Amino acid sequence: MQKIEALIEETRSNMTICNACRYCEGFCPVFPAMERRRVFTPEDLKYLANLCHNCGECYYACQYAPPHEFAVNVPQSMAKLRAESYRDYAWPGPLAKLFDRNGLLTALALAVGVTLLLLIAVGLNGGLAALVTTQHGGDFYALMPHNVIVVTFGSVSLFVLLALVMGMVRFWSESGEGVAGLGDARSWRQALKETFSLQHLHGQGEVGCTYPDAYHSQWRRRFHHFTFYGFMLSFAATVTGTIYHYVFDWQAPYDFTSLPKLLGTLGGIGLLIGPAGLLYLKLVRDQNTADVRQMGMDVAFIALLWLTGFTGLALMLLRETSAMGVMLVVHLGVVMALFITMPYGKFVHGFYRLLAVYRNALERNRSSH
Amino acid sequence: MLSSSGTRLSEADLTDHDVLVIGGGNAALCAALTAREQGASVLLLESAPHKWRGGNSIHTRNLRCMHREPTDVLSDAYLEDEFFDDVWRVTGGITNEALARHVIRASETCAEWMKDYGVRFQPSLGGTLHLGRTNAFFLGGGKALVNTYYQAAERLGVTILYEAEAESLVFDGKRFDHALVTYNGSPRKVSAKAVVIASGGFESNQAWLEEAWGEVSRNFLIRGTRFNQGKMLRALIDNGAKIIGDPTQGHAVAIDARAPKYDGGIVTRVDCVSLGIVVNRDGERFYDEGEDFWPKRYAIWGRLIAKQPGQVGYSITDAKAQGRFMPSVFPPEQADTLNELAAKLELPVDAVRKTVDDFNAAVQPGNFDHSVLDDCHTWGVTPEKTHWAQRIDEPPFYGYPLRTGITFTYLGAEVDDKARMYMDSGELSDNVFLAGEIMAGNILGQGYVAGFGMTIGTVFGRIAGKEAGSYAKD
Ligand SMILES: Cc1cc2nc3c(=O)[nH]c(=O)nc-3n(C[C@H](O)[C@H](O)[C@H](O)COP(=O)(O)OP(=O)(O)OC[C@H]3O[C@@H](n4cnc5c(N)ncnc54)[C@H](O)[C@@H]3O)c2cc1C
Ligand code: HEM
Ligand code: SF4
Ligand code: SF4
């Protein structure tokens, strides 16, 4: 495995060539951000790596790409350094090791999550029988009381949230901008717009990015939108469900036209389409712009997202049947696995990218004064 | 036999096309696309493998365009007369005015035509501001441009063969009959109704350079592709084309001596000559480093260095120059004393010491301003430095080794305004059309205007494609 120092050196050598060339400066924010710097510290390079969206344009356009002896390959060196930076930022530090065997970790988390919930359900219901009947009349909470769900998931979520926030704190502290630097409303507006539209996968001229190969395509962005918004909608469904339960004291199951149901259905569909598409593109992608070592991490994350959508929708459709009990346990187990792996898997890319894009907006606005 | 797209290539595919395009850079691609626009079937031969396709064009970044008002990619206006004046000045009048003006006028429509095929430009606000008025910058540079054209050509059904090198041409009088081509290592005969030759210059051919420049050329570096071997130029000479230009003329600049032999491209340039002094292997100065603005003078330094012993020079600056020029890709040698720097550059220490002392003593007081021809000059040293002369006395000291870097050669064949090639007899060939570097000498007899190479290639590529296409369809 390449040490982070070697990756920093590789990225720095690429950036030194780019800085003397600058042909790619119109492609994305990475090159202007590079030009704002005279020297490239390891912190700067990790920031640039998280700013890079791996669109591939600058690899195909590079006259110094391999087989040229300069062997410039910005997307690949950035991808490798980015993955390494995730380990660096991870909290608590020792758990960063989990990134190394991410695929395995995810499989384990999945198994543990499902088994744990199964045990809980069996324990609560005094045996397996309750899980495979239709006695519950489609009521989840008859099998697994709401409070139990809230307590198991609540405690996991709190830890996950803390770990994610600590990672972001570490990321941001390397910027040297301090807490005050986080308060620029204009830059936030721009950053949110750029990330939520995935502007940097649009390509200049709205042609899309060079992914999965040298030909421009919008499909990575489209599938990511399905994934991202699918995830957000599913998340929103859970939140509204919780609010219904606690604030209004409205009990599930809800109508098909209720807000949690609508959001959940749409979100689930998004998670079926998006990750499947991303996985397909990933399998056919040009390996030249990829960091092959990330394959496990990416696929694990994609698979969990897809399973979340699939089991969620299945649960909804099978609610009145005897399969509901098993489906419920499996769905909750998948979601549990997704949660647990969040701080130590691909999920963190969203947060670091958002902060990197924000930091870029901050610098850009400052230098245009 | 397999074509580049992986489909079976039959014998007929090598003989049945309307138009044969020889070359795989900007001019060849513009010709292939335009010939397709005419409805002609097109076969394009690129001698390089896919990964190295595109010739010198992959190293370019812009083209020069006439325009009457600001556009999305160009600021202000740049009219025919001003454009022609610029060409006139650099060529010292060695140009075919009618052809030059023809190109200039046609350059007005280039950007739109290019965009139609998917070429993207930088918005006209980029970093290299002063050229934003005259030159349109390709988004991602020339390789992105070439990739876009190749993709368009594939889409439109141009047959593209890589690693297909035309070795020679067989004429029947003034009519092209067929080409002998090495494809996948075996010789093939390729014929078509018309041929467009857009195979660049001969700058990558070491033997030919040596023939023209002598042994010193072994120390030259080639800034672009290794595939411009000039075989088609040789074929034109052999078949009685009207040759123009002088083989000993080429665009030669001073670049970092540590650059690779081929394809060093833009990042090997060293832009700090006018900020310091340049010495030769013996530690002596040999030319006025501050004669004129660097962009106007950098093209003479290749020749100056070619004339020095060992064909090498050393640019020496001190701390004052730092941050005033674009960095080269190789870090300079650096030292806290001049003696140490000279030693690191493997130069005779005492000679460098004396040169710098003499120079420093001759520097006159003045107000340094790199953006104008300032009044900082020397008095009493040979050669004088007439602008931007500042004492070299503030450590650390920096040194870049310099060699001659060949950008392109000027040798070519004469054409008319329809890109048709002239035979030595003065007649026009029936079905041979030239585009790009191989005919640029008609317009640029000497000197160079930044961005004009791509303009000539684009304009003449389009003309050649159109004429060859319509000739073949008649
Ligand atoms: C470093 C550098 C930077 C430059 N920057 C600029 C710039 O910014 N703007 C500008 O206007 N100009 C620039 N130029 C000049 C510019 O590159 C040329 O004017 C232009 O590329 C010429 O285009 P072309 O198509 O004629 O030749 P090329 O692009 O060189 O293409 C020649 C092609 O022919 C192929 N070929 C050669 N022989 C054979 C054969 N026998 N059979 C089959 N194929 C063959 C080669 O493989 C190659 O693909 C630059 C040049 C260099 C070296
Ligand atoms: C701030 C928000 C986000 C941004 C800017 C962003 C951006 C990106 C980019 C540029 C990629 C491709 C490069 C890479 O693999 O690293 C990517 C991959 C991916 N993203 Fe996001 N993302 C965000 C949030 C999310 C969220 C919230 C999810 C889902 C929960 C998600 C799911 C994925 C998946 C599954 C991949 C892998 C796809 C692949 O490898 O091809 N992203 N993201
Ligand atoms: S990726 Fe290549 S072409 Fe782009 S700026 Fe860097 S060195 Fe230049
Ligand atoms: S891969 Fe795309 S986003 Fe990353 S540096 Fe290159 S052009 Fe920018």
Side-chain angles (χ1 to χ4, degrees):
Chain A
M1 191 191 306
Q2 262 173 299
K3 285 250 175 301
I4 189 153
E5 290 77 25
L7 292 175
I8 297 266
E9 231 6 89
E10 179 182 317
T11 313
R12 183 181 285 137
S13 125
N14 276 333
M15 285 293 106
T16 307
I17 298 172
C18 292
N19 202 23
C21 166
R22 302 192 173 186
Y23 280 14
C24 291
E25 65 186 359
F27 277 143
C28 75
V30 172
F31 295 93
M34 164 198 88
E35 288 170 24
R36 285 195 289 267
R37 296 174 156 68
R38 293 218 133 264
V39 289
F40 304 109
T41 65
E43 292 73 27
D44 283 336
L45 293 167
K46 280 152 71 189
Y47 152 60
L48 294 178
N50 280 284
L51 189 55
C52 166
H53 280 44
N54 191 243
C55 76
E57 288 262 35
C58 66
Y59 167 76
Y60 297 108
C62 185
Q63 66 274 31
Y64 302 116
H68 194 286
E69 61 196 274
F70 289 169
V72 174
N73 188 337
V74 178
Q76 192 172 65
S77 68
M78 290 291 186
K80 290 194 280 189
L81 182 57
R82 189 163 57 242
E84 205 52 51
S85 81
Y86 295 166
R87 289 179 179 77
D88 252 26
Y89 300 134
W91 181 91
L95 289 188
K97 278 201 284 295
L98 297 177
F99 274 106
D100 299 339
R101 310 299 298 271
N102 193 269
L104 185 67
L105 165 75
T106 308
L108 282 176
L110 189 60
V112 170
V114 175
T115 317
L116 184 73
L117 284 149
L118 188 66
L119 289 177
I120 293 175
V122 169
L124 286 175
N125 294 289
L128 257 175
L131 288 182
V132 291
T133 66
T134 48
Q135 293 301 311
H136 42 67
D139 179 6
F140 304 155
Y141 304 134
L143 278 173
M144 189 129 2
H146 196 258
N147 294 341
V148 173
I149 299 185
V150 168
V151 169
T152 39
F153 276 83
S155 44
V156 171
S157 305
L158 279 181
F159 174 76
V160 164
L161 197 68
L162 178 67
L164 289 173
V165 169
M166 288 306 289
M168 287 191 275
V169 168
R170 289 181 166 191
F171 180 91
W172 190 253
S173 68
E174 290 193 349
S175 74
E177 297 280 358
V179 182
L182 281 171
D184 189 56
R186 174 159 165 238
S187 301
W188 274 118
R189 268 198 308 280
Q190 295 169 352
L192 290 173
K193 185 169 156 272
E194 288 169 36
T195 46
F196 283 25
S197 66
L198 276 185
Q199 188 175 314
H200 307 304
L201 288 183
H202 264 299
Q204 293 296 323
E206 309 275 302
V207 291
C209 56
T210 39
Y211 184 85
D213 55 25
Y215 298 80
H216 287 100
S217 151
Q218 297 280 12
W219 283 106
R220 188 184 222 181
R221 198 172 57 85
R222 288 187 187 132
F223 285 134
H224 192 286
H225 279 335
F226 274 109
T227 311
F228 178 96
Y229 289 103
F231 177 80
M232 293 305 220
L233 289 172
S234 306
F235 191 69
T238 316
V239 172
T240 44
T242 312
I243 292 175
Y244 275 25
H245 189 86
Y246 282 106
V247 180
F248 301 111
D249 206 18
W250 297 338
Q251 303 294 326
Y254 305 112
D255 270 359
F256 205 76
T257 52
S258 67
L259 206 49
K261 266 289 161 55
L262 276 178
L263 294 172
T265 311
L266 287 176
I269 293 173
L271 287 178
L272 274 190
I273 299 173
L278 286 175
L279 182 65
Y280 170 74
L281 294 178
K282 190 158 211 72
L283 294 176
V284 299
R285 82 170 293 178
D286 180 350
Q287 294 299 328
N288 286 310
T289 56
D291 169 17
V292 284
R293 289 196 301 119
Q294 270 182 61
M295 194 68 174
M297 174 172 90
D298 289 359
V299 171
F301 183 50
I302 292 173
L304 273 186
L305 286 169
W306 189 85
L307 280 175
T308 303
F310 177 76
T311 55
L313 286 177
L315 181 58
M316 203 174 72
L317 294 174
L318 303 177
R319 202 177 68 206
E320 311 288 347
T321 74
S322 59
M324 187 273 249
V326 175
M327 241 18 256
L328 177 66
V329 165
V330 173
H331 180 60
L332 292 180
V334 169
V335 174
M336 177 73 87
L338 181 64
F339 270 39
I340 295 173
T341 51
M342 271 181 181
Y344 312 107
K346 177 76 168 192
F347 185 70
V348 296
H349 79 281
F351 293 104
Y352 299 144
R353 278 219 171 81
L354 177 62
L355 283 176
V357 172
Y358 168 76
R359 182 176 168 191
N360 176 62
L362 196 67
E363 290 177 357
R364 185 177 59 206
N365 293 332
R366 200 182 288 142
S367 65
S368 67
H369 283 312
Chain B
M1 190 172 4
L2 287 176
S3 87
S4 57
S5 52
T7 50
R8 287 258 147 215
L9 193 72
S10 69
E11 207 50 40
D13 289 331
L14 295 179
T15 49
D16 267 7
H17 286 89
D18 294 326
V19 175
L20 169 64
V21 177
I22 299 177
N26 175 61
L29 290 159
C30 289
L33 290 169
T34 317
R36 276 304 285 150
E37 285 172 15
Q38 305 297 308
S41 61
V42 179
L43 171 64
L44 181 142
L45 305 180
E46 161 62 300
S47 57
H50 186 288
K51 289 245 176 201
W52 285 112
R53 72 183 182 186
N56 284 348
S57 301
I58 68 164
H59 289 288
T60 66
R61 58 175 163 179
N62 59 32
L63 88 170
R64 190 172 282 252
C65 296
M66 164 186 160
H67 56 110
R68 294 162 214 264
E69 53 195 31
T71 73
D72 51 345
V73 295
L74 292 153
S75 58
D76 271 329
Y78 187 49
L79 301 178
E80 180 180 335
D81 286 335
E82 185 188 354
F83 197 151
F84 182 72
D85 283 348
D86 288 339
V87 174
W88 181 264
R89 209 166 336 103
V90 299
T91 57
I94 310 185
T95 179
N96 175 331
E97 176 162 355
L99 278 191
R101 286 189 179 272
H102 191 53
V103 170
I104 290 169
R105 280 193 295 270
S107 74
E108 200 177 9
T109 62
C110 282
E112 285 309 314
W113 180 84
M114 295 164 74
K115 279 194 227 161
D116 283 346
Y117 282 106
V119 173
R120 293 169 294 163
F121 290 91
Q122 309 247 43
S124 64
L125 40 85
T128 335
L129 271 176
H130 48 284
L131 281 175
R133 182 173 77 90
T134 55
N135 291 40
F137 284 72
F138 316 135
L139 185 73
K143 188 162 174 193
L145 169 99
V146 161
N147 289 345
T148 306
Y149 281 151
Y150 271 107
Q151 293 182 359
E154 288 168 9
R155 212 165 48 234
L156 296 175
V158 173
T159 309
I160 300 167
L161 300 184
Y162 297 103
E163 298 178 63
E165 184 176 32
E167 303 282 353
S168 61
L169 301 174
V170 177
F171 276 47
D172 174 8
K174 56 191 176 62
R175 196 184 66 80
F176 160 78
D177 188 73
H178 65 270
L180 294 172
V181 177
T182 304
Y183 177 59
N184 270 346
S186 53
R188 322 285 307 197
K189 204 170 133 178
V190 180
S191 56
K193 293 180 191 141
V195 64
V196 175
I197 303 173
S199 52
F202 71 88
E203 64 276 354
S204 332
N205 188 323
Q206 186 59 49
W208 200 338
L209 283 182
E210 220 161 306
E211 205 177 292
W213 294 63
E215 263 184 31
V216 294
S217 66
R218 288 185 198 166
N219 286 326
F220 294 173
L221 302 170
I222 312 305
R223 301 180 63 209
T225 180
R226 67 204 66 196
F227 293 96
N228 284 353
Q229 293 288 333
K231 290 197 175 160
M232 289 300 95
L233 265 173
R234 192 67 85 189
L236 295 185
I237 295 172
D238 292 346
N239 282 289
K242 183 161 180 202
I243 299 299
I244 52 164
D246 177 347
T248 68
Q249 290 297 306
H251 187 259
V253 306
I255 62 169
D256 199 303
R258 296 161 291 181
K261 177 76 181 170
Y262 292 104
D263 279 305
I266 188 94
V267 300
T268 61
R269 73 198 175 308
V270 176
D271 284 348
C272 56
V273 164
S274 61
L275 291 164
I277 60 169
V278 177
V279 300
N280 61 17
R281 201 173 63 182
D282 303 329
E284 287 160 358
R285 288 177 63 239
F286 51 88
Y287 198 81
D288 177 3
E289 300 89 349
E291 188 182 36
D292 203 342
F293 291 111
W294 181 239
K296 291 195 184 166
R297 274 293 160 265
Y298 87 127
I300 66 167
W301 279 85
R303 262 162 201 288
L304 290 170
I305 286 171
K307 288 192 196 124
Q308 297 307 310
Q311 296 73 52
V312 59
Y314 301 85
S315 157
I316 294 176
T317 57
D318 70 359
K320 294 192 284 293
Q322 280 313 91
R324 291 187 186 275
F325 60 95
M326 277 281 283
S328 149
V329 68
F330 302 100
E333 288 293 352
Q334 183 181 334
D336 285 332
T337 66
L338 268 169
N339 291 11
E340 213 185 307
L341 182 72
K344 279 191 173 170
L345 293 170
E346 294 174 18
L347 290 172
V349 175
D350 293 340
V352 171
R353 190 71 256 174
K354 179 173 183 319
T355 301
V356 174
D357 287 344
D358 291 352
F359 174 80
N360 283 349
V363 170
Q364 303 299 305
N367 297 310
F368 179 84
D369 184 347
H370 204 214
S371 62
V372 297
L373 293 170
D374 72 2
D375 59 355
C376 291
H377 59 89
T378 57
W379 182 249
V381 67
T382 314
E384 302 284 8
K385 182 173 178 187
T386 50
H387 303 96
W388 311 300
Q390 284 185 298
R391 295 166 61 90
I392 297 176
D393 55 5
E394 210 180 295
F397 301 97
Y398 300 93
Y400 283 102
L402 305 173
R403 282 207 184 279
T404 303
I406 306 285
T407 320
F408 48 76
T409 49
Y410 290 109
L411 191 69
E414 193 170 327
V415 291
D416 73 351
D417 61 359
K418 292 199 159 64
R420 273 184 304 183
M421 186 181 77
Y422 278 105
M423 305 302 291
D424 227 358
S425 61
E427 291 171 297
L428 282 164
S429 143
D430 300 338
N431 59 350
V432 181
F433 303 85
L434 306 183
E437 214 59 75
I438 201 163
M439 48 63 64
N442 284 271
I443 294 157
L444 288 171
Q446 64 176 38
Y448 184 63
V449 206
F452 205 31
M454 292 299 274
T455 309
I456 295 173
T458 307
V459 168
F460 264 88
R462 290 175 64 190
I463 295 174
K466 177 161 178 278
E467 296 299 329
S470 57
Y471 173 90
K473 293 308 280 178
D474 277 350

